[in-house]
């Protein structure tokens, strides 16, 4: 609704409101306030990461996805839905994205000296706008170098929107990072409209089945067919396939039967603070050993 109001206001002419609508006015001034807060928030590093386990079919935690949260001084905890698109709209996603990478890489560095944790990977969501920055590759390499994090533990999650205008420049960027050991996951796979031919041309390591397909896998025959097809496609092209939004044991069993090897979702765990995550991993390990 907020976005629609925004759109209508814009359509009416360059961010001006033709008719005064108090509700719309409130929406717009909240957005503007949040937008100016965003700059300060990045400077003051009011952001932190939650980590959601990614579990192998054998029960081992292979890695985590980093999900950003904003600890807003007056509004409390804000989820990415309320500020990522805002940050994309005014380019603040670039410094925010670098900050997120920094936090994740510091964590990878901290884990690299702990034998039980050094194999964990962290998947970081990168906005299409951030990836398209001319200096994106050097941004990532600089963060890796500064933090000392092992590049081969970092996974970058991109979406199909990035691949829709397939350019040489983009595959070059991916190749450069790939040569340093960075891996790529294609997030929300199946929801975009890109051609499948990029899958063989780009150095993608993992397909991530979008949670909307997983959610309705038992109630919508089309979603079930899509899930099956993505898993089969991934397997035949030798990609790792991970399902997101796995909430029930039935979903996990169905996905396993179809040949999916990695899972992420509330059935396993919600996104966790770093302390809770380490606790979760230790409990899982204890369960497996005894
Ligand atoms: P995403 O990358 O597809 O992340 C998955 C979202 O699904 C997360 O929401 C996660 O908390 C939620 N989720 C995980 N398991 C389940 C489940 O079993 N059921 C349901 N219903 N939901 C589940 P979150 O953290 O609110 O993030 C939303 C989106 O915001 C992400 O979607 C991603 O596109 C974006 N985002 C999150 N963190 C970052 C970031 O650091 N940078 C950028 N650029 N985008 C981010
Ligand atoms: Mg993601
Ligand atoms: Mg996703
Ligand atoms: Mg999503």
């Amino acid at each position: 609704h907020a976005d629609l109001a925004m759109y209508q206001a814009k359509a009416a002419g360059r961010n001006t409101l033709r008719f005064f609508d108090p509700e719309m006015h409130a929406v717009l001034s909240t957005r503007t306030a949040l937008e100016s807060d965003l700059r300060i928030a990045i400077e003051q590093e009011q952001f932190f990461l939650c980590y959601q386990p990614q579990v192998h079919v054998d029960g081992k935690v292979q890695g985590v996805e980093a999900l950003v949260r904003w600890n807003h001084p007056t509004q409390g905890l804000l989820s990415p839905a309320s500020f990522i698109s805002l940050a994309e709209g005014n380019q603040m996603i670039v410094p925010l994205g670098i900050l997120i990478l920094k936090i994740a890489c510091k964590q990878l560095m901290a884990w690299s000296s702990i034998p039980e944790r050094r194999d964990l990977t962290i998947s970081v969501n990168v906005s299409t706008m951030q990836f398209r920055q001319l200096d994106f590759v050097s941004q990532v390499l600089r963060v890796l170098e500064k933090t000392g994090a092992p590049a081969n533990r970092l996974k970058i999650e991109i979406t199909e929107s990035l691949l829709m205008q397939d350019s040489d420049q983009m595959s070059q960027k991916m190749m450069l990072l790939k040569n340093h050991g960075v891996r790529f996951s294609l997030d929300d796979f199946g929801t975009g409209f890109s051609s499948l031919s990029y899958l063989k041309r780009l150095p993608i390591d993992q397909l991530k089945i979008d949670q909307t397909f997983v959610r309705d896998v038992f109630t919508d025959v089309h979603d079930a067919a899509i899930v099956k097809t993505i898993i089969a496609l991934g397997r035949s092209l030798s990609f790792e396939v991970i399902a997101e939004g796995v909430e029930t044991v039935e979903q996990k069993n169905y996905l396993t039967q179809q040949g999916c090897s990695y899972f992420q979702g509330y059935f396993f765990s919600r996104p966790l603070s770093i302390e809770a995550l380490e606790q979760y991993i230790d409990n899982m390990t204890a369960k497996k050993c005894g």
Side-chain angles (χ1 to χ4, degrees):
H1 177 72
D3 284 339
L4 184 64
M6 192 68 181
Y7 173 77
Q8 286 168 338
K10 277 190 175 157
R14 296 238 141 238
N15 287 326
T16 57
L17 302 176
R18 274 206 182 144
F19 306 101
F20 185 77
D21 173 342
E23 195 190 332
M24 192 149 89
H25 183 76
V27 165
L28 288 179
S29 50
T30 310
R31 273 184 83 101
T32 311
L34 213 53
E35 203 171 337
S36 60
D37 289 352
L38 206 52
R39 295 171 205 282
I40 303 162
I42 294 169
E43 275 165 35
Q44 299 187 349
E45 310 203 352
Q46 291 169 7
F47 300 90
F48 67 98
L49 297 180
C50 280
Y51 299 92
Q52 188 174 34
Q54 299 180 324
V55 183
H56 187 255
V57 67
D58 73 7
K60 192 174 189 293
V61 178
Q62 182 222 25
V64 295
E65 177 175 10
L67 296 157
V68 69
R69 302 290 180 258
W70 180 359
N71 198 357
H72 190 282
T74 56
Q75 298 188 38
L77 212 60
L78 297 180
S79 72
S82 59
F83 61 87
I84 289 289
S85 75
L86 202 65
E88 283 168 340
N90 66 3
Q91 300 269 330
M92 295 302 277
I93 193 68
V94 177
L96 177 58
I98 296 173
L99 175 60
I100 289 164
L101 262 173
K102 247 184 234 165
I103 302 173
C105 286
K106 276 187 193 161
Q107 189 55 55
L108 280 177
M109 181 58 189
W111 281 340
S112 67
S113 57
I114 306 168
E116 310 86 72
R117 311 242 195 269
R118 62 164 30 124
D119 292 336
L120 292 169
T121 57
I122 298 184
S123 295
V124 175
N125 294 283
V126 167
S127 280
T128 293
M129 178 179 287
Q130 189 190 356
F131 197 101
R132 289 209 178 119
Q133 297 297 303
L134 285 174
D135 60 346
F136 178 70
V137 172
S138 51
Q139 281 171 17
V140 176
L141 294 180
R142 204 174 311 135
V143 171
L144 284 168
E145 200 180 322
K146 272 193 176 169
T147 56
N152 64 356
R153 304 286 102 193
L154 176 66
K155 267 188 202 163
I156 290 180
E157 289 196 6
I158 56 172
T159 58
E160 285 174 274
S161 68
L162 179 66
L163 309 174
M164 283 178 65
Q165 51 169 68
D166 184 15
S167 65
D168 291 348
Q169 206 187 69
M170 193 197 55
S171 56
Q172 251 177 37
K173 282 177 177 172
M174 289 179 76
M175 279 303 185
L176 278 167
L177 288 168
K178 176 88 184 163
N179 290 340
H180 282 84
V182 176
R183 279 174 275 180
F184 290 95
S185 176
L186 201 43
D187 200 1
D188 305 340
F189 187 69
T191 61
F193 297 94
S194 50
S195 121
L196 288 182
S197 63
Y198 59 73
L199 289 182
K200 66 172 188 200
R201 277 182 285 119
L202 298 173
I204 291 164
D205 303 277
Q206 184 185 64
L207 299 183
K208 197 164 194 184
I209 307 173
D210 189 65
Q211 53 184 290
T212 56
F213 304 126
V214 175
R215 190 185 58 211
D216 298 331
V217 79
F218 293 121
T219 50
D220 184 326
V221 289
H222 298 111
D223 286 337
I226 290 170
V227 163
K228 272 190 193 182
T229 306
I230 294 175
I231 296 170
L233 176 76
R235 284 170 69 94
S236 56
L237 293 174
S238 304
F239 294 126
E240 208 175 88
V241 179
I242 183 167
E244 72 178 342
V246 181
E247 294 185 353
T248 66
V249 67
E250 290 80 15
Q251 288 170 341
K252 183 217 155 199
N253 290 342
Y254 177 83
L255 291 158
T256 306
Q257 273 164 26
Q258 299 305 320
C260 183
S261 330
Y262 294 93
F263 311 94
Q264 184 182 336
Y266 297 166
F267 172 67
F268 297 92
S269 169
R270 298 206 161 232
L272 302 169
S273 68
I274 192 69
E275 295 81 15
L277 172 74
E278 298 197 330
Q279 188 90 102
Y280 176 88
I281 293 173
D282 291 344
N283 287 343
M284 294 287 277
T285 313
K287 245 190 242 160
K288 274 184 45 170
C289 296

